[in-house]
mmCIF file of all heavy atoms in Angstrom:
data_model
loop_
_atom_site.group_PDB
_atom_site.id
_atom_site.type_symbol
_atom_site.label_atom_id
_atom_site.label_comp_id
_atom_site.label_asym_id
_atom_site.label_seq_id
_atom_site.Cartn_x
_atom_site.Cartn_y
_atom_site.Cartn_z
ATOM 1 N N ALA A 30 0.804 -1.196 -0.018
ATOM 2 C CA ALA A 30 0.009 0.010 0.010
ATOM 3 C C ALA A 30 0.900 1.232 -0.002
ATOM 4 O O ALA A 30 0.568 2.287 -0.671
ATOM 5 C CB ALA A 30 -0.905 -0.003 1.234
ATOM 6 N N LYS A 31 1.988 1.215 0.713
ATOM 7 C CA LYS A 31 2.875 2.406 0.760
ATOM 8 C C LYS A 31 3.596 2.543 -0.577
ATOM 9 O O LYS A 31 3.773 3.711 -1.013
ATOM 10 C CB LYS A 31 3.906 2.207 1.887
ATOM 11 C CG LYS A 31 4.635 3.519 2.218
ATOM 12 C CD LYS A 31 3.643 4.527 2.818
ATOM 13 C CE LYS A 31 4.159 5.920 2.920
ATOM 14 N NZ LYS A 31 3.270 6.842 3.539
ATOM 15 N N ILE A 32 3.987 1.448 -1.210
ATOM 16 C CA ILE A 32 4.615 1.580 -2.526
ATOM 17 C C ILE A 32 3.628 2.256 -3.493
ATOM 18 O O ILE A 32 4.036 3.160 -4.248
ATOM 19 C CB ILE A 32 5.001 0.222 -3.076
ATOM 20 C CG1 ILE A 32 6.248 -0.279 -2.264
ATOM 21 C CG2 ILE A 32 5.373 0.296 -4.551
ATOM 22 C CD1 ILE A 32 6.613 -1.747 -2.544
ATOM 23 N N LYS A 33 2.355 1.844 -3.457
ATOM 24 C CA LYS A 33 1.330 2.466 -4.321
ATOM 25 C C LYS A 33 1.127 3.893 -3.980
ATOM 26 O O LYS A 33 1.019 4.781 -4.895
ATOM 27 C CB LYS A 33 0.037 1.710 -4.241
ATOM 28 C CG LYS A 33 -1.071 2.243 -5.182
ATOM 29 C CD LYS A 33 -2.280 1.365 -5.192
ATOM 30 C CE LYS A 33 -3.329 1.895 -6.211
ATOM 31 N NZ LYS A 33 -2.749 1.948 -7.552
ATOM 32 N N GLU A 34 1.155 4.261 -2.729
ATOM 33 C CA GLU A 34 1.003 5.691 -2.355
ATOM 34 C C GLU A 34 2.144 6.515 -2.867
ATOM 35 O O GLU A 34 1.945 7.618 -3.417
ATOM 36 C CB GLU A 34 0.953 5.802 -0.782
ATOM 37 C CG GLU A 34 0.740 7.243 -0.349
ATOM 38 C CD GLU A 34 0.750 7.414 1.156
ATOM 39 O OE1 GLU A 34 0.906 6.376 1.855
ATOM 40 O OE2 GLU A 34 0.650 8.545 1.627
ATOM 41 N N ILE A 35 3.353 6.052 -2.738
ATOM 42 C CA ILE A 35 4.517 6.817 -3.248
ATOM 43 C C ILE A 35 4.553 6.891 -4.747
ATOM 44 O O ILE A 35 4.786 7.977 -5.294
ATOM 45 C CB ILE A 35 5.821 6.190 -2.679
ATOM 46 C CG1 ILE A 35 5.905 6.285 -1.137
ATOM 47 C CG2 ILE A 35 7.063 6.853 -3.305
ATOM 48 C CD1 ILE A 35 7.057 5.547 -0.549
ATOM 49 N N ALA A 36 4.236 5.771 -5.383
ATOM 50 C CA ALA A 36 4.401 5.719 -6.837
ATOM 51 C C ALA A 36 3.224 6.264 -7.624
ATOM 52 O O ALA A 36 3.365 6.722 -8.732
ATOM 53 C CB ALA A 36 4.707 4.283 -7.234
ATOM 54 N N ASP A 37 1.995 6.173 -6.996
ATOM 55 C CA ASP A 37 0.795 6.518 -7.745
ATOM 56 C C ASP A 37 -0.044 7.594 -7.069
ATOM 57 O O ASP A 37 -0.170 8.688 -7.570
ATOM 58 C CB ASP A 37 -0.073 5.226 -7.843
ATOM 59 C CG ASP A 37 0.307 4.354 -9.087
ATOM 60 O OD1 ASP A 37 1.084 4.838 -9.857
ATOM 61 O OD2 ASP A 37 -0.197 3.256 -9.158
ATOM 62 N N THR A 38 -0.653 7.182 -5.933
ATOM 63 C CA THR A 38 -1.764 7.995 -5.447
ATOM 64 C C THR A 38 -1.357 9.288 -4.735
ATOM 65 O O THR A 38 -2.130 10.230 -4.654
ATOM 66 C CB THR A 38 -2.636 7.144 -4.471
ATOM 67 O OG1 THR A 38 -1.770 6.718 -3.388
ATOM 68 C CG2 THR A 38 -3.202 5.946 -5.164
ATOM 69 N N ASN A 39 -0.116 9.364 -4.266
ATOM 70 C CA ASN A 39 0.327 10.568 -3.525
ATOM 71 C C ASN A 39 1.714 10.960 -3.933
ATOM 72 O O ASN A 39 2.511 11.413 -3.112
ATOM 73 C CB ASN A 39 0.289 10.263 -2.000
ATOM 74 C CG ASN A 39 0.260 11.529 -1.153
ATOM 75 O OD1 ASN A 39 0.049 12.682 -1.687
ATOM 76 N ND2 ASN A 39 0.520 11.406 0.132
ATOM 77 N N ARG A 40 2.018 10.799 -5.210
ATOM 78 C CA ARG A 40 3.341 11.022 -5.712
ATOM 79 C C ARG A 40 3.768 12.507 -5.531
ATOM 80 O O ARG A 40 4.984 12.793 -5.330
ATOM 81 C CB ARG A 40 3.418 10.628 -7.160
ATOM 82 C CG ARG A 40 4.900 10.500 -7.636
ATOM 83 C CD ARG A 40 4.958 9.644 -8.881
ATOM 84 N NE ARG A 40 6.351 9.423 -9.329
ATOM 85 C CZ ARG A 40 6.726 8.617 -10.262
ATOM 86 N NH1 ARG A 40 5.786 7.833 -10.840
ATOM 87 N NH2 ARG A 40 7.959 8.463 -10.627
ATOM 88 N N GLY A 41 2.879 13.386 -5.558
ATOM 89 C CA GLY A 41 3.205 14.797 -5.363
ATOM 90 C C GLY A 41 3.822 15.081 -3.983
ATOM 91 O O GLY A 41 4.631 15.991 -3.868
ATOM 92 N N ASN A 42 3.428 14.309 -2.991
ATOM 93 C CA ASN A 42 4.015 14.504 -1.659
ATOM 94 C C ASN A 42 5.193 13.617 -1.386
ATOM 95 O O ASN A 42 5.813 13.643 -0.272
ATOM 96 C CB ASN A 42 2.952 14.236 -0.631
ATOM 97 C CG ASN A 42 1.933 15.344 -0.565
ATOM 98 O OD1 ASN A 42 2.246 16.506 -0.703
ATOM 99 N ND2 ASN A 42 0.632 14.978 -0.303
ATOM 100 N N TYR A 43 5.479 12.695 -2.343
ATOM 101 C CA TYR A 43 6.673 11.814 -2.208
ATOM 102 C C TYR A 43 7.452 11.858 -3.498
ATOM 103 O O TYR A 43 7.505 10.907 -4.251
ATOM 104 C CB TYR A 43 6.183 10.364 -1.926
ATOM 105 C CG TYR A 43 5.656 10.103 -0.570
ATOM 106 C CD1 TYR A 43 4.305 10.214 -0.332
ATOM 107 C CD2 TYR A 43 6.455 9.818 0.538
ATOM 108 C CE1 TYR A 43 3.725 10.001 0.923
ATOM 109 C CE2 TYR A 43 5.924 9.571 1.805
ATOM 110 C CZ TYR A 43 4.559 9.644 1.993
ATOM 111 O OH TYR A 43 4.004 9.444 3.256
ATOM 112 N N PRO A 44 8.155 12.977 -3.767
ATOM 113 C CA PRO A 44 8.960 13.029 -4.985
ATOM 114 C C PRO A 44 10.097 11.962 -4.929
ATOM 115 O O PRO A 44 10.687 11.730 -3.886
ATOM 116 C CB PRO A 44 9.555 14.435 -4.971
ATOM 117 C CG PRO A 44 9.492 14.850 -3.500
ATOM 118 C CD PRO A 44 8.260 14.194 -2.993
ATOM 119 N N ILE A 45 10.335 11.355 -6.084
ATOM 120 C CA ILE A 45 11.381 10.324 -6.177
ATOM 121 C C ILE A 45 12.312 10.641 -7.346
ATOM 122 O O ILE A 45 12.100 11.593 -8.093
ATOM 123 C CB ILE A 45 10.765 8.922 -6.375
ATOM 124 C CG1 ILE A 45 9.907 8.881 -7.656
ATOM 125 C CG2 ILE A 45 9.947 8.507 -5.138
ATOM 126 C CD1 ILE A 45 9.334 7.536 -7.964
ATOM 127 N N MET A 46 13.397 9.866 -7.478
ATOM 128 C CA MET A 46 14.277 10.059 -8.627
ATOM 129 C C MET A 46 13.644 9.832 -9.900
ATOM 130 O O MET A 46 12.862 8.836 -10.086
ATOM 131 C CB MET A 46 15.471 9.082 -8.461
ATOM 132 C CG MET A 46 16.356 9.282 -7.272
ATOM 133 S SD MET A 46 17.746 8.057 -7.309
ATOM 134 C CE MET A 46 18.468 8.361 -5.696
ATOM 135 N N GLU A 47 13.857 10.733 -10.877
ATOM 136 C CA GLU A 47 13.240 10.613 -12.176
ATOM 137 C C GLU A 47 14.219 10.637 -13.332
ATOM 138 O O GLU A 47 13.922 10.245 -14.440
ATOM 139 C CB GLU A 47 12.169 11.742 -12.366
ATOM 140 C CG GLU A 47 10.995 11.604 -11.398
ATOM 141 C CD GLU A 47 9.953 12.713 -11.603
ATOM 142 O OE1 GLU A 47 10.273 13.670 -12.372
ATOM 143 O OE2 GLU A 47 8.889 12.616 -10.969
ATOM 144 N N ASP A 48 15.412 11.156 -13.095
ATOM 145 C CA ASP A 48 16.490 11.119 -14.066
ATOM 146 C C ASP A 48 17.817 11.095 -13.398
ATOM 147 O O ASP A 48 17.833 11.137 -12.169
ATOM 148 C CB ASP A 48 16.347 12.331 -15.047
ATOM 149 C CG ASP A 48 16.395 13.639 -14.328
ATOM 150 O OD1 ASP A 48 17.357 13.856 -13.550
ATOM 151 O OD2 ASP A 48 15.465 14.512 -14.522
ATOM 152 N N ASN A 49 18.860 11.050 -14.140
ATOM 153 C CA ASN A 49 20.151 10.863 -13.542
ATOM 154 C C ASN A 49 20.713 12.089 -12.809
ATOM 155 O O ASN A 49 21.710 11.955 -12.050
ATOM 156 C CB ASN A 49 21.187 10.369 -14.598
ATOM 157 C CG ASN A 49 21.107 8.929 -14.888
ATOM 158 O OD1 ASN A 49 21.014 8.113 -13.988
ATOM 159 N ND2 ASN A 49 21.104 8.557 -16.154
ATOM 160 N N THR A 50 20.061 13.188 -12.957
ATOM 161 C CA THR A 50 20.440 14.334 -12.104
ATOM 162 C C THR A 50 20.103 14.149 -10.666
ATOM 163 O O THR A 50 20.494 14.810 -9.758
ATOM 164 C CB THR A 50 19.845 15.638 -12.632
ATOM 165 O OG1 THR A 50 18.430 15.638 -12.467
ATOM 166 C CG2 THR A 50 20.230 15.873 -14.098
ATOM 167 N N HIS A 51 19.192 13.176 -10.442
ATOM 168 C CA HIS A 51 18.720 12.876 -9.118
ATOM 169 C C HIS A 51 19.494 11.709 -8.478
ATOM 170 O O HIS A 51 19.335 11.455 -7.252
ATOM 171 C CB HIS A 51 17.209 12.458 -9.107
ATOM 172 C CG HIS A 51 16.340 13.528 -9.691
ATOM 173 N ND1 HIS A 51 15.154 13.213 -10.375
ATOM 174 C CD2 HIS A 51 16.466 14.897 -9.713
ATOM 175 C CE1 HIS A 51 14.581 14.319 -10.814
ATOM 176 N NE2 HIS A 51 15.343 15.335 -10.379
ATOM 177 N N THR A 52 20.326 11.042 -9.269
ATOM 178 C CA THR A 52 21.104 9.902 -8.708
ATOM 179 C C THR A 52 21.947 10.397 -7.537
ATOM 180 O O THR A 52 22.584 11.436 -7.630
ATOM 181 C CB THR A 52 22.007 9.356 -9.840
ATOM 182 O OG1 THR A 52 21.181 8.555 -10.719
ATOM 183 C CG2 THR A 52 23.082 8.382 -9.273
ATOM 184 N N ALA A 53 21.959 9.642 -6.490
ATOM 185 C CA ALA A 53 22.807 9.969 -5.261
ATOM 186 C C ALA A 53 24.173 9.328 -5.494
ATOM 187 O O ALA A 53 24.319 8.164 -5.589
ATOM 188 C CB ALA A 53 22.155 9.346 -4.054
ATOM 189 N N LYS A 54 25.144 10.230 -5.604
ATOM 190 C CA LYS A 54 26.502 9.792 -5.854
ATOM 191 C C LYS A 54 27.488 10.872 -5.325
ATOM 192 O O LYS A 54 27.129 12.058 -5.142
ATOM 193 C CB LYS A 54 26.757 9.594 -7.358
ATOM 194 C CG LYS A 54 26.734 10.911 -8.219
ATOM 195 C CD LYS A 54 27.013 10.593 -9.694
ATOM 196 C CE LYS A 54 27.098 11.884 -10.457
ATOM 197 N NZ LYS A 54 25.870 12.701 -10.416
ATOM 198 N N ILE A 55 28.732 10.454 -5.099
ATOM 199 C CA ILE A 55 29.804 11.390 -4.854
ATOM 200 C C ILE A 55 30.683 11.366 -6.095
ATOM 201 O O ILE A 55 31.198 10.250 -6.468
ATOM 202 C CB ILE A 55 30.600 11.082 -3.597
ATOM 203 C CG1 ILE A 55 29.722 11.255 -2.367
ATOM 204 C CG2 ILE A 55 31.856 11.971 -3.518
ATOM 205 C CD1 ILE A 55 30.402 10.936 -1.052
#
């Protein structure tokens, strides 16, 4: 249910990585 909330139903409140500028790296 939480995966669905983050990915679908409430994505505006749970922004996630969408391209490589968001990749976490040093």
Side-chain angles (χ1 to χ4, degrees):
K31 194 67 192 183
I32 289 172
K33 183 171 182 61
E34 181 183 0
I35 295 173
D37 274 351
T38 59
N39 199 12
R40 195 158 182 171
N42 287 325
Y43 289 92
I45 58 177
M46 294 181 187
E47 295 180 351
D48 58 54
N49 279 315
T50 67
H51 302 149
T52 286
K54 68 180 185 301
I55 293 179

